[in-house]
Amino acid sequence: MKALDLAGTAVTNTLRSKLRTFLTVIAIVIGAFTLTLTSGLGTGINKYVDTMVEGFGAPDELTVSKQADGPSLAPGGEPTEYDPDAAASGEMFGMPLLTQDDLDALRATEHVTGVETARLVEPDYIEGADGRKWEVPFMGASFEIDMLSLAAGRAPAEDGDALEVTVPTDWVESLGGAAPEDVVGQEVTLVASDPLGAQSGVDATVVGVTEPVASGSGAGPVPSPELEQRLHDVTTQGLPEEQRNTYFQAIVTVEGMPENEAAVKAALADRGYQAQTLEDQLGVVRGIIDAVTWVLNGFALIALLAASFGIINTLLMAVQERTREIGLMKALGMTGGRIFGLFTLEAVVIGLLGSLIGVGLGVAVGLVANQVLTQGVLSGVTGLVLFAVNPWALLLIIGLIVAIAFLAGTLPAARAARKDPIEALRHE
């Protein structure tokens, strides 16, 4: 019997007892369906994380801050003796701030090709051309300029002394426009307070309107570097110079990443700085996602293990029922190896059928659920992806299930192959 004939016979034999085969296939479908959903969830959420990473910076950048030498932020423990020199340098959220000397040290580090900083400013309100005043719950920073998604206009100029700003699409109507293009070119005033509460305004031109992106860039007004500096001057007016020219962190560009990553990190650590890539900062998130995915996959594998016993039971019963048929095939010259192949092929057919149905259902349900949830109750999360199709993962699931089915079929197939033809022909 040729291989093609053997495969055709295996398919025919599988469909002999339709109910028994159907019940066995259902168990496989459940496992394949669960594996597909969990794999798609892991792929989708990691894809969302990747989108956020792309929006926060480039792969050749390190986020650098000073290592904290002072007291821990955690409650408890003995107090630390007050150091007036350390206090004068300023802190933010318990972390020491970077000074101009620190920025010079970063630029002098081998393999570092650029250092960027941004002022964190909080205007009290923004005044439109019609004189109406609007609160600014979230103010962006100039380092977001390259990450913006524009609905109209352009991004603020990164060089020169231009006082420019972008506003989000949600602000268009409040600023008197019917479409994003209507507010481009409008003159606005951003008003901030100095440490004593005195307010001062800085005039700026709206040059663009931004759409929301997954990283959150453009969710609020984004200023040009010069506008950001002017607002910073207002909010720090009267403070000591060492407190005015400080930065919470810096973005360092490194040549030859990732080969030079370890060397640059080590050099910065020796100088008292902490450097992290975006992957470092999001590594914990990815670890949690992967851990949950593996736990859910474990439950699916348990279902497949149970289904494998169903395959064994189905084929053992088939061997028992077809004992005389096996004896006749052997009497006609069919070898034990061919009989073994026939029964293992029947197991593979059951596994392939169950895996294809389960994977198909899993993909369909995952895509529909993703559409319903991201366009419904989770529509406020920009760029969210809950389920994504990874063709290689789907092929791996199908291959895994077929392999499990093959292994499950080897026991009854071996029993069929070892049957004595004379005894089998006498079987009632």
Side-chain angles (χ1 to χ4, degrees):
M1 184 179 290
K2 297 180 180 179
L4 189 60
D5 295 332
L6 202 65
T9 303
V11 173
T12 303
N13 291 340
T14 302
L15 300 177
R16 279 188 181 184
S17 180
K18 294 183 176 59
L19 180 59
R20 190 164 62 207
T21 301
F22 172 76
L23 293 175
T24 305
V25 167
I26 286 296
I28 298 174
V29 167
I30 293 172
F33 176 81
T34 307
L35 274 177
T36 303
L37 279 184
T38 54
S39 172
L41 282 171
T43 301
I45 296 176
N46 276 312
K47 183 178 180 181
Y48 174 63
V49 173
D50 288 339
T51 303
M52 292 188 67
V53 169
E54 291 173 1
F56 278 121
D60 62 346
E61 293 178 347
L62 294 175
T63 301
V64 179
S65 59
K66 265 188 176 179
Q67 294 179 355
D69 298 326
S72 169
L73 295 178
E78 296 181 358
T80 301
E81 185 176 353
Y82 175 71
D83 183 352
D85 293 333
S89 65
E91 290 189 351
M92 182 180 291
F93 310 121
M95 292 291 293
L97 298 174
L98 297 171
T99 64
Q100 192 61 47
D101 290 339
D102 293 316
L103 300 184
D104 293 338
L106 295 179
R107 293 189 180 96
T109 304
E110 188 178 5
H111 303 304
V112 170
T113 59
V115 178
E116 296 181 4
T117 57
R119 304 290 195 183
L120 299 180
V121 295
E122 297 182 7
D124 298 336
Y125 62 86
I126 184 170
E127 184 176 339
D130 58 1
R132 299 180 68 184
K133 301 175 181 179
W134 306 95
E135 292 185 1
V136 185
F138 176 78
M139 185 71 181
S142 60
F143 68 77
E144 298 179 41
I145 289 176
D146 294 332
M147 313 170 194
L148 299 177
S149 175
L150 294 166
R154 61 174 176 81
E158 296 188 69
D159 300 319
D161 57 0
L163 299 176
E164 298 176 342
V165 67
T166 61
V167 295
T169 51
D170 294 340
W171 286 44
V172 170
E173 187 175 345
S174 299
L175 293 176
E181 294 80 6
D182 297 339
V183 300
V184 175
Q186 184 177 140
E187 296 295 324
V188 296
T189 302
L190 289 92
V191 178
S193 298
D194 65 20
L196 296 178
Q199 291 183 326
S200 299
V202 181
D203 295 330
T205 303
V206 176
V207 295
V209 179
T210 57
E211 296 176 329
V213 294
S215 64
S217 296
V222 176
S224 63
E226 181 63 23
L227 176 58
E228 190 174 65
Q229 181 64 47
R230 295 279 189 91
L231 291 171
H232 173 77
D233 291 341
V234 171
T235 58
T236 60
Q237 185 175 353
L239 293 177
E241 188 65 24
E242 62 269 13
Q243 293 185 22
R244 297 188 68 184
N245 292 317
T246 55
Y247 306 85
F248 179 55
Q249 60 185 24
I251 305 299
V252 171
T253 304
V254 179
E255 64 178 356
M257 288 279 277
E259 291 80 7
N260 294 328
E261 178 183 337
V264 173
K265 284 183 176 179
L268 294 177
D270 291 340
R271 298 181 181 183
Y273 303 107
Q274 179 180 1
Q276 290 183 313
T277 63
L278 287 170
E279 286 292 336
D280 293 336
Q281 299 173 54
L282 293 172
V284 175
V285 177
R286 290 187 185 277
I288 293 173
I289 294 171
D290 293 340
V292 171
T293 301
W294 278 109
V295 169
L296 295 176
N297 283 340
F299 288 111
L301 291 173
I302 291 173
L304 289 176
L305 181 61
S308 68
F309 287 103
I311 294 174
I312 293 173
N313 180 63
T314 296
L315 293 182
L316 283 176
M317 293 180 68
V319 170
Q320 184 68 20
E321 293 170 356
R322 291 154 54 189
T323 299
R324 294 192 67 185
E325 180 185 331
I326 293 169
L328 181 59
M329 287 188 292
K330 282 200 166 186
L332 293 174
M334 194 170 184
T335 63
R338 286 287 183 177
I339 292 175
F340 179 87
L342 176 63
F343 280 91
T344 52
L345 272 176
E346 291 180 24
V348 167
V349 168
I350 293 174
L352 185 61
L353 185 61
S355 63
L356 290 175
I357 295 174
V359 167
L361 284 175
V363 169
V365 171
L367 291 176
V368 171
N370 180 73
Q371 185 71 13
V372 170
L373 292 174
T374 56
Q375 299 299 321
V377 295
L378 299 176
S379 58
V381 184
T382 304
L384 177 63
V385 179
L386 289 176
F387 182 91
V389 176
N390 182 347
W392 291 110
L394 299 183
L395 289 175
L396 180 62
I397 291 171
I398 293 172
L400 174 65
I401 294 174
V402 169
I404 291 174
F406 173 80
L407 292 174
T410 55
L411 176 61
R415 176 171 292 186
R418 288 197 302 267
K419 282 191 175 292
D420 180 83
I422 297 176
E423 293 295 329
L425 288 171
R426 291 175 179 173
H427 182 78
E428 293 295 336

